[in-house]
Coordinates of all heavy atoms in Angstrom, one line a residue:
D1 N 105.6 87.7 95.4 CA 105.6 88.3 94.1 C 104.9 89.7 94.1 O 105.3 90.6 93.4 CB 105.0 87.5 93.0 CG 105.7 86.1 92.9 OD1 106.9 86.2 92.5 OD2 105.1 85.1 93.1
E2 N 104.0 89.8 95.0 CA 103.2 91.1 95.2 C 102.8 91.2 96.7 O 102.4 90.2 97.3 CB 102.0 91.2 94.3 CG 101.2 92.5 94.4 CD 100.0 92.5 93.5 OE1 99.6 91.5 93.0 OE2 99.5 93.6 93.3
V3 N 102.9 92.4 97.2 CA 102.5 92.7 98.6 C 101.6 93.8 98.7 O 101.8 94.9 98.1 CB 103.8 93.0 99.5 CG1 103.3 93.3 100.9 CG2 104.7 91.8 99.5
I4 N 100.5 93.6 99.4 CA 99.6 94.7 99.7 C 99.6 94.8 101.2 O 99.2 93.8 101.9 CB 98.1 94.4 99.2 CG1 98.1 94.3 97.7 CG2 97.2 95.5 99.7 CD1 96.8 93.8 97.1
L5 N 99.9 95.9 101.8 CA 99.9 96.1 103.2 C 98.7 96.9 103.6 O 98.3 97.9 103.0 CB 101.2 96.9 103.7 CG 102.5 96.3 103.5 CD1 103.6 97.2 104.0 CD2 102.6 94.9 104.2
L6 N 98.0 96.4 104.7 CA 97.0 97.2 105.3 C 97.5 98.0 106.5 O 98.6 97.7 106.9 CB 95.9 96.2 105.8 CG 95.3 95.2 104.8 CD1 94.1 94.5 105.5 CD2 94.8 95.9 103.6
P7 N 96.8 99.0 106.9 CA 97.3 99.7 108.1 C 97.5 98.8 109.3 O 96.9 97.8 109.4 CB 96.2 100.8 108.4 CG 95.5 100.9 107.0 CD 95.6 99.6 106.4
I8 N 98.5 99.2 110.2 CA 98.8 98.4 111.4 C 97.5 98.2 112.2 O 96.8 99.2 112.5 CB 99.9 99.0 112.2 CG1 101.2 99.0 111.3 CG2 100.2 98.2 113.5 CD1 102.4 99.8 111.9
Y9 N 97.3 97.0 112.7 CA 96.2 96.8 113.6 C 96.7 97.0 115.0 O 97.6 96.3 115.5 CB 95.7 95.3 113.5 CG 94.5 95.0 114.4 CD1 93.2 95.4 114.0 CD2 94.7 94.3 115.6 CE1 92.1 95.1 114.8 CE2 93.6 94.0 116.4 CZ 92.3 94.4 116.0 OH 91.2 94.1 116.8
P10 N 96.1 98.0 115.8 CA 96.7 98.4 117.0 C 96.4 97.5 118.2 O 97.2 97.5 119.2 CB 96.1 99.8 117.2 CG 94.8 99.7 116.6 CD 95.0 98.9 115.4
A11 N 95.3 96.8 118.2 CA 94.9 96.0 119.3 C 94.9 96.9 120.6 O 94.2 97.9 120.6 CB 95.7 94.8 119.5
R12 N 95.7 96.6 121.5 CA 95.7 97.3 122.8 C 96.6 98.5 122.8 O 96.8 99.1 123.9 CB 96.2 96.3 123.9 CG 97.6 95.7 123.6 CD 98.0 94.6 124.5 NE 99.3 94.0 124.2 CZ 99.5 93.0 123.4 NH1 98.5 92.5 122.7 NH2 100.7 92.6 123.1
E13 N 97.3 98.8 121.7 CA 98.4 99.8 121.7 C 98.0 101.1 121.2 O 97.1 101.2 120.3 CB 99.6 99.2 121.0 CG 100.2 98.0 121.6 CD 101.5 97.5 120.9 OE1 101.7 97.9 119.7 OE2 102.3 96.8 121.5
E14 N 98.8 102.1 121.6 CA 98.7 103.4 121.0 C 99.8 103.5 119.9 O 100.8 102.8 119.9 CB 99.0 104.5 122.0 CG 98.0 104.6 123.1 CD 96.6 105.0 122.6 OE1 96.5 105.8 121.6 OE2 95.6 104.4 123.1
P15 N 99.6 104.4 118.8 CA 100.6 104.5 117.8 C 102.0 104.9 118.3 O 102.1 105.6 119.3 CB 100.0 105.6 116.9 CG 98.5 105.6 117.2 CD 98.4 105.2 118.6
I16 N 103.0 104.5 117.5 CA 104.4 104.8 117.8 C 104.9 105.7 116.6 O 104.7 105.3 115.4 CB 105.2 103.6 118.0 CG1 104.8 102.8 119.2 CG2 106.7 104.0 118.1 CD1 105.5 101.4 119.3
A17 N 105.4 106.8 116.9 CA 105.9 107.7 115.8 C 106.8 107.0 114.9 O 107.8 106.4 115.3 CB 106.6 108.9 116.4
G18 N 106.6 107.1 113.6 CA 107.4 106.6 112.6 C 107.2 105.1 112.3 O 107.8 104.5 111.3
I19 N 106.3 104.4 113.0 CA 106.1 103.0 112.8 C 104.7 102.9 112.1 O 103.7 103.0 112.8 CB 106.1 102.2 114.1 CG1 107.4 102.4 114.9 CG2 105.8 100.7 113.9 CD1 108.6 102.0 114.0
T20 N 104.8 102.7 110.8 CA 103.6 102.7 110.0 C 103.8 101.6 108.9 O 104.9 101.1 108.7 CB 103.3 104.0 109.3 OG1 104.5 104.3 108.4 CG2 103.2 105.2 110.3
S21 N 102.7 101.3 108.3 CA 102.8 100.3 107.1 C 103.6 100.9 106.0 O 104.3 100.2 105.3 CB 101.4 100.0 106.6 OG 100.7 99.1 107.6
E22 N 103.6 102.3 105.9 CA 104.4 102.9 104.8 C 105.9 102.8 105.1 O 106.7 102.6 104.2 CB 104.0 104.4 104.8 CG 102.7 104.7 104.1 CD 101.5 104.5 105.0 OE1 101.7 104.2 106.2 OE2 100.3 104.5 104.5
A23 N 106.2 102.8 106.4 CA 107.6 102.6 106.8 C 108.1 101.2 106.5 O 109.2 100.9 106.0 CB 107.8 102.9 108.3
L24 N 107.2 100.2 106.7 CA 107.5 98.8 106.4 C 107.6 98.7 104.9 O 108.5 98.0 104.3 CB 106.4 97.9 106.9 CG 106.5 96.4 106.6 CD1 107.8 95.8 107.0 CD2 105.4 95.6 107.2
L25 N 106.7 99.3 104.1 CA 106.7 99.2 102.7 C 108.0 99.6 102.1 O 108.5 99.0 101.1 CB 105.5 100.0 102.1 CG 105.3 99.8 100.6 CD1 104.5 98.6 100.4 CD2 104.5 101.0 100.0
A26 N 108.5 100.7 102.6 CA 109.8 101.3 102.1 C 110.9 100.3 102.2 O 111.9 100.4 101.4 CB 110.1 102.6 102.8
K27 N 110.9 99.4 103.1 CA 112.0 98.4 103.3 C 111.8 97.1 102.5 O 112.7 96.3 102.4 CB 112.1 98.1 104.8 CG 112.7 99.2 105.6 CD 112.9 98.8 107.1 CE 113.7 99.8 107.9 NZ 115.1 99.7 107.5
I28 N 110.6 96.9 102.0 CA 110.3 95.7 101.1 C 111.0 95.9 99.8 O 110.9 96.9 99.1 CB 108.8 95.5 101.0 CG1 108.2 95.2 102.4 CG2 108.5 94.4 100.0 CD1 106.7 95.1 102.4
S29 N 111.7 94.9 99.3 CA 112.6 95.1 98.2 C 111.9 94.8 96.8 O 112.4 95.2 95.8 CB 113.8 94.1 98.3 OG 113.4 92.8 98.3
I30 N 110.8 94.1 96.8 CA 110.2 93.9 95.5 C 109.5 95.2 95.0 O 109.1 96.1 95.8 CB 109.1 92.7 95.6 CG1 108.0 93.0 96.6 CG2 109.9 91.4 95.9 CD1 106.9 92.0 96.6
T31 N 109.2 95.3 93.7 CA 108.7 96.5 93.2 C 107.2 96.5 93.2 O 106.6 97.6 93.3 CB 109.1 96.7 91.7 OG1 108.8 95.5 91.0 CG2 110.7 96.8 91.7
C32 N 106.5 95.4 93.2 CA 105.1 95.3 93.2 C 104.6 95.3 94.6 O 104.3 94.3 95.2 CB 104.6 94.1 92.4 SG 102.9 94.2 91.9
K33 N 104.4 96.5 95.1 CA 104.0 96.7 96.5 C 103.2 97.9 96.7 O 103.4 98.9 96.0 CB 105.2 96.7 97.4 CG 106.2 97.9 97.0 CD 107.5 97.9 97.9 CE 108.4 99.1 97.5 NZ 109.5 99.1 98.4
K34 N 102.3 97.9 97.7 CA 101.4 99.1 97.9 C 100.8 99.0 99.3 O 100.7 97.9 99.9 CB 100.4 99.2 96.8 CG 99.6 97.9 96.6 CD 98.8 98.0 95.3 CE 99.6 98.1 94.1 NZ 100.3 96.8 93.8
V35 N 100.4 100.2 99.8 CA 99.6 100.2 101.1 C 98.2 100.6 100.7 O 98.0 101.6 99.9 CB 100.2 101.2 102.1 CG1 99.3 101.4 103.3 CG2 101.6 100.8 102.5
M36 N 97.2 99.9 101.3 CA 95.8 100.2 101.0 C 95.0 100.0 102.2 O 95.4 99.2 103.1 CB 95.3 99.2 99.9 CG 95.9 99.4 98.5 SD 95.2 98.3 97.3 CE 95.7 99.0 95.8
S37 N 93.8 100.6 102.2 CA 92.8 100.2 103.2 C 92.2 98.9 102.9 O 92.3 98.4 101.8 CB 91.7 101.3 103.3 OG 90.9 101.2 102.1
P38 N 91.5 98.2 103.8 CA 90.9 96.9 103.5 C 89.9 97.0 102.3 O 90.0 96.2 101.4 CB 90.2 96.6 104.8 CG 91.0 97.2 105.9 CD 91.4 98.5 105.3
D39 N 89.1 98.1 102.3 CA 88.2 98.2 101.2 C 88.9 98.4 99.9 O 88.5 97.8 98.8 CB 87.2 99.3 101.4 CG 86.2 99.0 102.5 OD1 86.0 97.8 102.8 OD2 85.6 100.0 103.1
E40 N 89.9 99.2 99.9 CA 90.7 99.4 98.6 C 91.4 98.2 98.2 O 91.4 97.9 97.0 CB 91.8 100.5 98.9 CG 91.2 101.9 99.1 CD 92.2 102.9 99.5 OE1 93.3 102.5 100.1 OE2 92.0 104.1 99.4
A41 N 91.9 97.4 99.1 CA 92.5 96.1 98.7 C 91.5 95.1 98.1 O 91.8 94.5 97.1 CB 93.1 95.4 100.0

C-alpha cells in the first residue's frame, strides 16, 4: 500500500550508471511511494 525506498546498498560493488532507487521508484505503480535516507524514513 505504501513503499519507502532507501538508497541501494552496494556491498562489494561500484555504482552502475542509471541504476538507482529513484529509477526503481519510477517503475512502481502505486502512488504512495518515496525515496528517503534511513534517518528520513
Side-chain angles (χ1 to χ4, degrees):
D1 298 300
E2 180 180 16
V3 175
I4 300 169
L5 295 181
L6 304 186
I8 296 172
Y9 184 79
R12 58 190 179 272
E13 295 184 340
E14 296 297 324
I16 297 174
I19 304 302
T20 62
S21 289
E22 287 77 8
L24 175 57
L25 189 80
K27 287 180 170 286
I28 294 173
S29 62
I30 61 174
T31 57
C32 199
K33 57 181 181 177
K34 49 191 70 68
V35 175
M36 292 182 166
S37 71
D39 288 342
E40 289 170 341

